[in-house]
Amino acid sequence: MNELILELEEISPKEFFGAQNVNIEVLKKYFPKLKIVARGNKIKAFGEEEQLEEFDKRMTMLMTHFGKYNRLDENAIERVLTSESNSDLSSSDQGGEVIVHGIGGKIIKAQTANQRKLVETMRKNDMVFAIGPAGTGKTYTGVALAVRALKNKEVKRIILTRPAVEAGENLGFLPGDLKEKLDPYMQPLYDALRDMIPAEKLAQFIENGVIQIAPLAFMRGRTLDNAFVILDEGQNTTHNQMKMFLTRMGKNAKFLLTGDPGQVDLPQRTISGLKEALLILKDVEGVGMVFLDDKDVIRHKLVKQIIMAYKNIENRE
């Protein structure tokens, strides 16, 4: 009797096997001639060589499916085990605005016209500026696009960065080491990633450097190749910081810069590097610009009203 051992890499065995190994039980029904045992992060199968080869092929397809959709149930297993090829499994989501499937198969899609425009502009350009007020989904949509590019092996890593501007607070007074002091600035980026990548896999990606989250100062001197790079809160960059960041772009890189020119936390009389870049680069081929507004706000309905109220006050000044 022949033996086949498969190891789950970057996949949670608990989620892949299902509660009380329910997914393994489904597999056993489709391969009654094989003895299938799941233990730890390994699946062992015993039987005839021909059957084991087919089992190996179908398991590879199942792992690919799980990697894309972050879930596995009886219906999905049936589709994979009865399909002729991977192309048969292509989701109808491809034709819509679905960007990526998050935790538990959560569908993450562009929800507004300008978010859809951002997705399309990112597809056509290597560098894109996404400009708009709080709650318009700039960062969230950008992180989803980065995760999709990583899953599709279009890039080898994701780099997320923000300028660590102290908006009314002083870093020196915050407890902890440098990482602990900086993490609060990076929290929106962590939050988005946690929606899209299982916790174990995300921790592994961060540990291996596949996903890097760092303040803008850490970008100096680097060349960012084969990466999807997001600069968040770009309005808080200075002239020198923005120039430094834009010139980090390496081969096969995608750069997305997000920001809200109405929320600059820089010292008075300091020019925002984002505002300046929008003027300097507006006619450069290969640089796309998308402007979101209050109609794109997807947070609590009050956020839209708050943005409008402040806009009215600022217009009077």
Side-chain angles (χ1 to χ4, degrees):
M1 190 177 285
N2 298 300
E3 179 185 14
L4 172 70
I5 301 175
L6 299 171
E7 190 169 344
L8 300 180
E9 295 180 3
E10 298 178 358
I11 290 177
S12 164
K14 185 179 176 182
E15 293 178 36
F16 189 84
F17 296 158
Q20 298 179 320
N21 282 4
V22 64
N23 293 338
I24 299 300
E25 295 305 314
V26 176
L27 280 173
K28 288 177 179 178
K29 290 178 186 175
Y30 280 91
F31 291 93
K33 294 181 180 179
L34 295 180
K35 182 185 177 184
I36 301 170
V37 180
R39 190 169 293 133
N41 69 333
K42 291 188 174 75
I43 298 174
K44 292 184 180 180
F46 305 88
E48 298 298 325
E49 189 171 345
E50 191 176 329
Q51 282 274 308
L52 289 175
E53 284 178 6
E54 180 64 17
F55 181 73
D56 189 15
K57 172 185 165 186
R58 296 295 169 174
M59 285 301 299
T60 300
M61 292 167 73
L62 280 173
M63 290 178 198
T64 301
H65 177 92
F66 186 87
K68 181 177 181 181
Y69 297 104
N70 292 316
R71 67 174 175 183
L72 197 62
D73 55 29
E74 188 169 350
N75 289 335
I77 294 171
E78 183 179 349
R79 280 201 309 275
V80 170
L81 297 183
T82 57
S83 65
E84 293 299 320
S85 65
N86 268 323
S87 60
D88 295 343
L89 304 173
S90 297
S91 170
S92 58
D93 298 335
Q94 296 285 340
E97 295 99 33
V98 172
I99 302 171
V100 74
H101 289 77
I103 300 301
K106 175 185 176 184
I107 291 175
I108 296 169
K109 61 165 70 178
Q111 297 185 42
T112 70
N114 282 327
Q115 286 179 10
R116 289 191 286 274
K117 186 177 179 184
L118 173 56
V119 173
E120 187 58 29
T121 304
M122 201 75 232
R123 187 178 292 122
K124 294 177 180 176
N125 299 274
D126 287 337
M127 182 178 290
V128 174
F129 288 80
I131 308 303
T136 50
K138 308 179 299 294
T139 302
Y140 196 81
T141 303
V143 172
L145 287 168
V147 171
R148 180 174 73 179
L150 184 66
K151 282 190 171 189
N152 291 345
K153 296 184 168 53
E154 294 163 15
V155 296
K156 292 181 180 176
R157 55 189 172 148
I158 295 173
I159 298 171
L160 308 174
T161 185
R162 303 178 109 194
V165 172
E166 301 166 40
E169 297 180 16
N170 192 306
L171 277 175
F173 290 101
L174 291 171
D177 59 19
L178 181 62
K179 182 181 183 301
E180 289 169 329
K181 287 180 178 184
L182 290 168
D183 268 357
Y185 290 97
M186 306 297 161
Q187 203 57 51
L189 302 171
Y190 284 113
D191 289 344
L193 285 169
R194 288 188 188 109
D195 264 7
M196 302 173 201
I197 301 175
E200 289 177 32
K201 195 170 185 178
L202 178 58
Q204 193 173 35
F205 277 157
I206 292 173
E207 187 179 339
N208 296 341
V210 173
I211 293 178
Q212 300 170 26
I213 306 173
L216 185 57
F218 286 37
M219 298 297 112
R220 193 172 299 279
R222 299 180 64 184
T223 301
L224 306 176
D225 293 322
N226 300 307
F228 197 117
V229 187
I230 298 176
L231 169 62
D232 196 32
E233 300 288 345
Q235 75 275 4
N236 290 326
T237 58
T238 63
H239 163 89
N240 287 337
Q241 285 176 325
M242 180 58 79
K243 183 181 176 185
M244 178 274 290
F245 176 76
L246 293 175
T247 54
R248 298 307 93 204
M249 195 173 200
K251 295 175 183 176
N252 190 39
K254 285 274 194 181
F255 271 39
L256 175 63
L257 300 91
T258 74
D260 176 6
Q263 285 193 332
V264 177
D265 296 317
L266 293 167
Q268 285 188 334
R269 297 187 195 86
T270 302
I271 296 171
S272 165
L274 179 70
K275 291 182 178 181
E276 187 181 53
L278 290 172
L279 291 171
I280 294 171
L281 303 176
K282 68 179 189 296
D283 296 322
V284 175
E285 191 175 345
V287 175
M289 296 183 183
V290 178
F291 296 89
L292 300 97
D293 55 35
D294 53 282
K295 291 190 290 294
D296 299 297
V297 172
I298 53 175
R299 291 182 184 169
H300 192 284
K301 61 183 179 182
L302 278 175
V303 174
K304 189 181 293 187
Q305 295 174 41
I306 290 166
I307 290 170
M308 292 301 295
Y310 271 92
K311 192 185 288 184
N312 291 336
I313 292 172
E314 288 156 5
N315 287 341
R316 289 194 214 116
E317 292 176 354

